Amino acid sequence: MEKTTISATKYGMTGKFRAKPGEAEKLAAILLEASRQVSVVKGIRLYAVGRDPKDENVIHVMEIWDSKEDHDQSLTLPETRALISQAMPLIDGKPEGVALEMVGGLGVD
Amino acid sequence: MEKTTISATKYGMTGKFRAKPGEAEKLAAILLEASRQVSVVKGIRLYAVGRDPKDENVIHVMEIWDSKEDHDQSLTLPETRALISQAMPLIDGKPEGVALEMVGGLGVD
């Protein structure tokens, strides 16, 4: 294996949202709308929405940004805040998420 | 919000690996080597490696593939199997992961 110098390059997030019963489709639609909105925002690399086939109420989001600052900035945009307001009442409990320092890989480098 | 038809389009995985103490850097290097190997494999879209800044022993991987079949096929390749053999002794406990039906978003569509 070639020598690898590992250093954090980008900012990542994995998010897990549990929708209230019957609301998963609507929540996924809001997150897909969010993905379209952020696609033109500075620093966005990935905003991918998936569902867990083993749990119909669970939606996952994977995000990669050039920096934490770019991510945080996106949360201040009025259109982002509007979507968050739409999504919150559909979510059961607290979203789970992990902020990551992306060290590399396909889609990061 | 525009009308959205939601259907699964691609296959995703989120993986979380806890390295044995002191082995996280080596494990990350192996996963980065895996990302380089899979970058030429049929159906790969994303193979991103990140670390949890709150837990120095934890490494995350986000993957997106055109299909589950493409992902499963990649696991049969000799070079993939060699890297898995290198990684396994560095991992503490059982890797956690969720297979996802990707429904869309930036990096999926």
Side-chain angles (χ1 to χ4, degrees):
Chain A
M1 194 167 62
E2 74 185 67
K3 192 174 181 317
T4 307
T5 303
I6 299 174
S7 58
T9 55
K10 294 196 168 64
Y11 181 74
M13 289 203 80
T14 66
K16 177 181 173 183
F17 305 90
R18 178 172 296 281
K20 291 176 181 167
E23 301 285 20
E25 192 89 357
K26 198 170 171 189
L27 178 59
I30 291 171
L31 291 166
L32 287 173
E33 177 64 20
S35 79
R36 283 187 288 270
Q37 282 188 5
V38 297
S39 67
V40 295
V41 168
K42 177 177 173 290
I44 185 70
R45 295 281 181 142
L46 177 81
Y47 192 106
V49 181
R51 47 164 55 133
D52 182 346
K54 293 185 180 164
D55 189 336
E56 64 182 7
N57 292 320
V58 171
I59 309 287
H60 288 253
V61 175
M62 309 175 183
E63 297 175 52
I64 300 176
W65 295 80
D66 282 341
S67 70
K68 181 177 189 306
E69 291 66 36
D70 287 333
H71 168 265
D72 292 353
Q73 174 65 24
S74 77
L75 296 180
T76 69
L77 300 174
E79 55 269 38
T80 307
R81 297 169 66 91
L83 287 178
I84 292 173
S85 296
Q86 289 176 39
M88 289 306 286
L90 308 178
I91 295 172
D92 204 358
K94 199 167 176 283
E96 297 171 36
V98 184
L100 300 173
E101 293 172 355
M102 305 309 296
V103 295
L106 179 69
V108 179
D109 298 321
Chain B
M1 193 169 62
E2 72 186 70
K3 192 174 182 317
T4 307
T5 303
I6 298 174
S7 58
T9 55
K10 295 197 168 62
Y11 182 74
M13 289 203 78
T14 67
K16 177 181 172 184
F17 305 91
R18 178 172 295 281
K20 291 177 181 166
E23 302 284 22
E25 191 90 357
K26 197 169 171 187
L27 178 59
I30 291 170
L31 291 166
L32 287 173
E33 176 65 19
S35 79
R36 283 188 289 270
Q37 281 188 6
V38 297
S39 67
V40 295
V41 168
K42 177 178 174 289
I44 185 71
R45 295 280 180 144
L46 177 83
Y47 192 106
V49 181
R51 47 163 56 134
D52 183 347
K54 294 185 179 164
D55 190 335
E56 63 182 7
N57 292 320
V58 171
I59 309 287
H60 287 253
V61 175
M62 309 175 183
E63 296 175 53
I64 299 176
W65 296 79
D66 283 340
S67 69
K68 181 177 190 304
E69 290 65 36
D70 287 333
H71 168 266
D72 292 354
Q73 174 65 23
S74 78
L75 296 180
T76 69
L77 300 174
E79 55 270 36
T80 306
R81 297 170 66 91
L83 287 178
I84 292 172
S85 296
Q86 288 176 41
M88 289 306 286
L90 307 178
I91 296 172
D92 204 358
K94 199 166 175 286
E96 296 172 37
V98 184
L100 300 174
E101 294 173 354
M102 304 310 295
V103 294
L106 180 68
V108 179
D109 297 322

